[in-house]
Amino acid sequence: MGPAIPGQGKGIRGNLDFSKSYLTFSLLIFFPLQGQVPVMPVPQRPAGCPPGLEYLTQIDQLLIQQKVELAEVILGWETNNKYMVKNSMGQQVFFVAEENDCCNRQCCGPLRSFVLHVQDNMGQEVMTLTRPLKCGSCCCPCCLQELEIQSPPGNPIGYVIQNWHPFLPKYTIQNEKKEAVLKIVGPFCSCRCCADVNFDVLSMDESTKVGRISKQWTGLVREAFTDADNFGISFPMDLDVKIKAALFGACFLIDFMFFEHNK
């Protein structure tokens, strides 16, 4: 007799054990085990700062991590997006959840209108990001994308307005009075393998770089099979907190326009 082969003679049970192990391995790729995430201490709120945005006064970098949904990985069924927002020390700052209906998600896909609720670590809603339904074609300059940032909810503090350009993604950041403050300019091609995709935050004349919104490469498997992305945002520490919030909102508009596609 030859040497025993592992799993030989186990029949159905052996196959089930293999399937269970394979499923566990697959889930760990998309849902790595994580411990409890530390939270950022609540700083003192300066005068004129909307409640809940005091966190942004002490931050010059944010990391936005989209949660991978099992239904999207296995069934390809679009679900409401959820994001965890951290500072450069890995401390949780905000949690973001999309509010949408099933018909809008499945029929309109990444072009869908949405409302994103931004909560602090105590579960209080500190920002609301609203995107109306607009045309997604660059051939229609009269109906371009936009996003409104409210803080507290119901009180607009900034806007992100898409600017028409034949081949470059361009946006204008506006304050609560709808006055243009900053520009965002992206690359000609947003599809890059094994590399980050950077959108530069510039002064109004586009001569000075102020910050950056970067879609980060998350690995071949995750990029190929999910639309869950990681983003990094950098801006000056002394930038107006409301403009920081507007740049924060711009990141989600960019995500939906360029990277929110079913794999």
Side-chain angles (χ1 to χ4, degrees):
M1 293 182 58
I5 300 175
Q8 188 179 37
K10 293 183 179 179
I12 296 177
R13 182 175 179 179
N15 292 333
L16 289 176
D17 289 343
F18 173 79
S19 300
K20 182 178 179 181
S21 300
Y22 180 78
L23 178 60
T24 302
F25 173 75
S26 301
L27 290 176
L28 286 176
I29 292 177
F30 297 108
F31 303 91
L33 296 177
Q34 297 178 347
Q36 186 174 2
V37 179
V39 298
M40 180 178 175
V42 182
Q44 185 176 0
R45 180 161 65 96
C49 177
L53 297 193
E54 58 268 20
Y55 295 94
L56 297 180
T57 62
Q58 299 186 359
I59 286 177
D60 61 358
Q61 293 182 25
L62 286 172
L63 174 63
I64 301 174
Q65 298 176 322
Q66 184 177 351
K67 296 185 65 177
V68 180
E69 299 293 340
L70 187 60
E72 291 191 10
V73 175
I74 297 178
L75 304 176
W77 188 261
E78 188 67 38
T79 61
N80 281 326
N81 289 352
K82 299 179 182 65
Y83 307 82
M84 184 178 295
V85 183
K86 301 178 183 179
N87 60 17
S88 58
M89 300 175 61
Q91 298 171 325
Q92 181 172 322
V93 182
F94 299 124
F95 180 78
V96 184
E98 177 188 0
E99 177 189 351
N100 227 321
D101 60 78
C102 180
C103 181
N104 193 19
R105 292 195 309 270
Q106 308 309 321
C107 296
C108 298
L111 289 175
R112 65 185 183 267
S113 60
F114 62 70
V115 176
L116 296 179
H117 301 281
V118 184
Q119 298 179 340
D120 63 14
N121 293 319
M122 293 175 285
Q124 299 295 318
E125 184 170 350
V126 298
M127 270 188 285
T128 302
L129 313 178
T130 305
R131 177 201 191 188
L133 184 63
K134 297 279 187 177
C135 178
S137 174
C138 64
C139 298
C140 300
C142 60
C143 195
L144 298 176
Q145 298 294 313
E146 62 183 60
L147 183 82
E148 181 181 83
I149 299 91
Q150 302 174 2
S151 182
N155 179 45
I157 62 169
Y159 303 86
V160 184
I161 307 298
Q162 182 187 11
N163 305 131
W164 185 86
H165 195 278
F167 53 85
L168 286 180
K170 287 193 171 188
Y171 305 87
T172 297
I173 300 296
Q174 298 179 344
N175 61 17
E176 66 270 26
K177 298 178 182 179
K178 293 193 173 183
E179 299 169 336
V181 178
L182 294 172
K183 292 275 191 178
I184 299 176
V185 179
F188 170 72
C189 179
S190 61
C191 299
R192 295 185 181 178
C193 183
C194 302
D196 295 347
V197 181
N198 297 318
F199 291 74
D200 291 329
V201 181
L202 307 172
S203 58
M204 284 303 300
D205 60 3
E206 300 186 13
S207 63
T208 305
K209 184 176 177 180
V210 178
R212 173 179 290 177
I213 297 174
S214 178
K215 189 268 181 188
Q216 301 174 343
W217 174 257
T218 56
L220 184 61
V221 174
R222 183 160 173 165
E223 293 283 346
F225 293 101
T226 78
D227 59 6
D229 300 306
N230 289 351
F231 285 85
I233 310 176
S234 62
F235 37 62
M237 182 73 75
D238 59 352
L239 187 66
D240 187 333
V241 68
K242 296 179 181 179
I243 303 303
K244 288 183 180 182
L247 291 174
F248 176 72
C251 180
F252 295 97
L253 182 59
I254 289 171
D255 179 29
F256 274 80
M257 288 185 65
F258 296 99
F259 307 107
E260 183 69 12
H261 301 285
N262 288 331
K263 301 297 194 295

